[in-house]
Amino acid sequence: MAIIEIRSLTKTFGKIRAVRGIDLTIEKGEIFGLLGPNGAGKTTTIGMLCTIIRPTSGSGIIAGFDIAKHPTQVRQNVGIVFQDPTLDTILTGRENLQLHARLYGIPAQDRSRWIEEMLELVDLTQRADDLTKTYSGGMRRRLELARGLLHRPAVLFLDEPTLGLDPQTRARTWEYIRKMAQKERTTVVLTTHYMEEAQLMCDRIGIIDAGQIIALDTPGNMIDMLGGDIVAVKSPNPPLDIIRALPYVSAIKTVGETIEITMKSAHLHLAELLSLIDNVVSVEIRKPTLNDVFIRLTGRDIRQEDVENNGSWVETIARYRQRGK
Ligand SMILES: Nc1ncnc2c1ncn2[C@@H]1O[C@H](COP(=O)(O)OP(=O)(O)O)[C@@H](O)[C@H]1O
Ligand SMILES: [Mg+2]
């Protein structure tokens, strides 16, 4: 059953065409990821679906309600966790949830039970009566997740739910998201630029670039589409034409002194491949990632753009160190 149906959804801000006609159907219970570089239109798309941003044209139906015609009903059926934290830090964790429960008109007799259940789910029962300003970043995120799901929405929207969290906390946050999604068969639509996580977490991915969905599939199919493993060989003068002509090679790309060769069953052909290349400095075999899919589709690297815009310092430095190796 489709829980979200989007047709030609479009948003322009003056001259900026932020979202350029998105068509998308999402099934009940799916964990769907919108993946794309900064400025691709992810937040704007989610904003329209949550009825916070009014579409310029096109339509969206969520849980049977039209986002333009029935925004109140749509809001009752969605939960949102924004990119930037929106907790009231002078309230305790429990008080934040109580406030939300009232705003969403959760019946008085259910309120405290639902709140206790959510606190339990995100492991915050012990800290529920502490002010949220004393919480760590990871705890705040978990409380926001709990709040997003408190009124039992059909769809939970998460905009960069793990942005700025350290890798360990990110992994735990994903566990909670998965657990919550399973509990009520909640449909989850999330945006992220952590490709490895999108790959692991999402049933299906829409790659979005410049306001358009340029690929839509399961992470597994997207990666299979690339045509094999990636073998990165560092060598000063590899015979590119010969390599390109090998029957099992589906693509090659040069990055400085390294050539990245996409090929089927790398382990079977590696010896022959290397026998063709003189002065091999290093060889690395890896499984392709969604970033490789993005590069194949656009010719650009999703991550480079993140480096400039997101300022996730530690990660960026770690990545560049890794690359230099
Ligand atoms: N309120 C706004 N006014 C003008 N331009 C906006 C506004 N919100 C977003 N944009 C622009 O729309 C584009 C898409 O932005 P956004 O949806 O935030 O992308 P993402 O979430 O993928 O990083 C960007 O070029 C951004 O600068
Ligand atoms: Mg955004």
Side-chain angles (χ1 to χ4, degrees), residues 11-14 16-19 36-46 53 83 159-160 191 208 211:
K11 179 69 190 180
T12 51
F13 295 104
I16 298 170
R17 296 165 67 206
V19 175
N38 255 281
K42 303 182 294 295
T43 298
T44 306
T45 302
I46 291 211
I53 298 173
Q83 198 166 333
D159 198 7
E160 303 278 359
T191 74
I208 179 168

Side-chain angles (χ1 to χ4, degrees), residues 1 50 60 83-84 108 110 113 121 140 174 181 193 210 214 230 234 239 245 268 273 286-287 295 315 317 321 324:
M1 187 188 96
C50 297
Q83 198 166 333
D84 301 312
D110 295 325
R113 188 168 43 88
L121 192 68
R140 288 185 195 186
W174 284 119
H193 63 278
I214 57 172
I230 293 179
K234 193 167 175 186
L268 296 180
L273 177 75
R286 61 181 176 84
K287 291 281 169 204
I295 292 172
E315 273 228 334
I317 293 166
R321 285 225 177 103

Side-chain angles (χ1 to χ4, degrees), residues 2-300:
I3 191 97
I4 301 180
E5 284 190 65
I6 308 172
R7 295 288 164 260
S8 309
L9 195 64
T10 301
K11 179 69 190 180
T12 51
F13 295 104
K15 281 184 187 152
I16 298 170
R17 296 165 67 206
V19 175
R20 309 184 184 197
I22 286 185
D23 292 298
L24 186 60
T25 302
I26 296 175
E27 302 293 320
K28 182 172 167 53
E30 259 194 292
I31 298 186
F32 185 88
L34 269 180
L35 181 69
N38 255 281
K42 303 182 294 295
T43 298
T44 306
T45 302
I46 291 211
M48 288 192 282
L49 297 177
C50 297
T51 76
I52 294 162
I53 298 173
R54 187 194 295 268
T56 306
S57 61
S59 68
I61 310 281
I62 296 187
F65 298 104
D66 189 300
I67 53 172
K69 293 183 195 129
H70 302 290
T72 311
Q73 285 90 332
V74 170
R75 283 181 194 210
Q76 287 289 336
N77 281 284
V78 304
I80 318 163
V81 178
F82 293 101
Q83 198 166 333
D84 301 312
T86 56
L87 292 169
D88 210 323
T89 54
I90 58 158
L91 298 180
T92 67
R94 185 178 274 109
E95 285 166 346
N96 265 289
L97 297 184
Q98 282 163 345
L99 178 66
H100 184 84
R102 290 228 176 99
L103 286 174
Y104 276 82
I106 296 174
Q109 72 268 22
D110 295 325
R111 263 179 229 159
S112 48
R113 188 168 43 88
W114 290 17
I115 289 172
E116 295 319 309
E117 267 179 36
M118 290 315 298
L119 285 168
E120 196 65 38
L121 192 68
V122 296
D123 281 336
L124 283 176
T125 306
Q126 305 301 321
R127 298 290 305 273
D129 294 313
D130 296 340
L131 295 181
T132 45
K133 69 178 170 202
T134 67
Y135 286 13
S136 68
M139 290 167 68
R140 288 185 195 186
R141 268 284 109 147
R142 269 144 58 197
L143 185 62
E144 292 193 308
L145 290 172
R147 187 182 57 180
L149 271 188
L150 186 61
H151 56 289
R152 306 193 173 172
V155 183
L156 179 64
F157 290 101
L158 305 168
D159 198 7
E160 303 278 359
T162 55
L163 187 69
L165 300 178
D166 63 79
Q168 208 181 342
T169 313
R170 268 177 13 220
R172 281 196 72 204
T173 306
W174 284 119
E175 268 171 47
Y176 289 112
I177 293 172
R178 205 199 300 264
K179 209 161 72 174
M180 294 168 115
Q182 277 165 356
K183 186 164 176 281
E184 310 265 344
R185 267 195 85 219
T186 310
T187 307
V188 179
V189 179
L190 59 95
T191 74
T192 183
H193 63 278
Y194 294 117
M195 286 155 295
E196 299 78 3
E197 293 176 2
Q199 202 165 326
L200 280 174
M201 277 296 299
C202 298
D203 298 318
R204 232 160 28 113
I205 302 262
I207 295 185
I208 179 168
D209 189 38
Q212 288 178 309
I213 292 200
I214 57 172
L216 180 66
D217 213 328
T218 65
N221 285 347
M222 282 191 181
I223 285 163
D224 287 348
M225 177 198 88
L226 289 176
D229 309 316
I230 293 179
V231 179
V233 182
K234 193 167 175 186
S235 156
N237 48 2
L240 296 180
D241 291 336
I242 295 173
I243 296 170
R244 197 177 282 117
L246 293 170
Y248 44 81
V249 168
S250 46
I252 70 173
K253 180 165 88 86
T254 18
V255 188
E257 283 214 324
T258 303
I259 46 167
E260 290 197 348
I261 305 156
T262 308
M263 55 195 278
K264 293 199 175 63
S265 313
H267 59 289
L268 296 180
H269 305 296
L270 193 62
E272 180 186 329
L273 177 75
L274 293 178
S275 73
L276 300 169
I277 307 173
D278 294 328
N279 304 320
V280 172
V281 179
S282 67
V283 183
E284 190 190 302
I285 305 180
R286 61 181 176 84
K287 291 281 169 204
T289 65
L290 290 175
N291 191 46
D292 297 303
V293 175
F294 188 81
I295 292 172
R296 181 70 67 84
L297 291 169
T298 66
R300 289 178 287 124

